[in-house]
Each structure stands twice: as structure tokens, then as C-alpha cells.
Amino acid sequence: MKKILVLCLDLSEAFDCVSHEIILKKCERYGLLGKSEEWIRSYLGDILIGEQYVEIRTTGSKVVKSSNKKILSGIPQGSVLGPLMLSMYVNDLPNFISSVADIVMFADD
């Protein structure tokens, strides 16, 4: 008798979850070195060196602002490379699943 196991993961806001450090290490592992690596870093450029903060304006015109925090994750959405980077980010998940069965992955936005 064969058994079927289905695991469905909903990565809410998946593009925002991609760690810059991990995606750059994976690019290196896939042989994207030298000019290619520089190009990927440049592509992520504003995100990699960017910072963000939260600012709240109260009804009394008082402004409360948080401290700046570096952006350490997220890839551009609506781009050609965004889905490719997301695929690179998750494609080795089956390596961490001990199974004797075939593993099929599917992604849909």
C-alpha cells in the first residue's frame, strides 16, 4: 500500500522573508561569482544598504519616530529576478526532509 503525504505551506509575503545573507550565499554556491555576484549585490543595492523606520503623527501634530533599522531581508517584487531568487531560496528544502518518497514542489503567487 502506498502512502501519500501532502504538506502545504503558505509563505505569506514570501518575497519579504528572503534573507539577503542567505540568498547571496546561495548565489555563490551556484557559481555566481565575480561580476555576477557584484551585479546581484547591485540589484539588491538599495535594499541591502537601506534602512527603515516607523513614524506616527498624533492628532496634536506630535511626531513619534522609531530608531532606524537596517533592512536585512526582502527581494524586489514585480521583477523578473524576484521569482528566480525566491526559487533559489526554497529549492533545497527537500534536502532537509528525510523521505524515501518523491518530493514535488509547486509555487503559485
Side-chain angles (χ1 to χ4, degrees):
M1 177 169 75
K2 290 188 175 186
K3 295 180 182 180
I4 297 175
L5 173 66
V6 176
L7 175 63
C8 298
L9 301 174
D10 180 8
L11 298 176
S12 173
E13 300 180 14
F15 284 83
D16 296 334
C17 299
V18 176
S19 162
H20 296 159
E21 180 182 345
I22 292 173
I23 196 67
L24 289 169
K25 285 180 182 178
K26 286 190 176 200
C27 286
E28 184 179 321
R29 191 177 316 143
Y30 286 122
L32 296 172
L33 303 169
K35 292 287 183 190
S36 298
E37 181 183 17
E38 288 175 29
W39 188 79
I40 294 292
R41 284 183 184 277
S42 173
Y43 177 73
L44 294 172
D46 290 338
I47 298 170
L48 285 168
I49 60 174
E51 293 183 344
Q52 64 184 18
Y53 64 90
V54 175
E55 184 175 290
I56 301 171
R57 295 176 189 268
T58 65
T59 54
S61 72
K62 181 180 177 185
V63 177
V64 178
K65 180 181 168 188
S66 70
S67 60
N68 288 7
K69 300 289 182 184
K70 288 187 178 187
I71 300 171
L72 303 174
S73 65
I75 51 177
Q77 298 180 34
S79 65
V80 174
L81 288 180
L84 177 63
M85 287 182 175
L86 182 63
S87 293
M88 288 172 58
Y89 191 68
V90 300
N91 75 340
D92 59 356
L93 284 176
N95 297 342
F96 300 98
I97 301 171
S98 59
S99 172
V100 292
D102 293 330
I103 297 174
V104 177
M105 292 177 52
F106 171 77
D108 183 18
D109 63 354

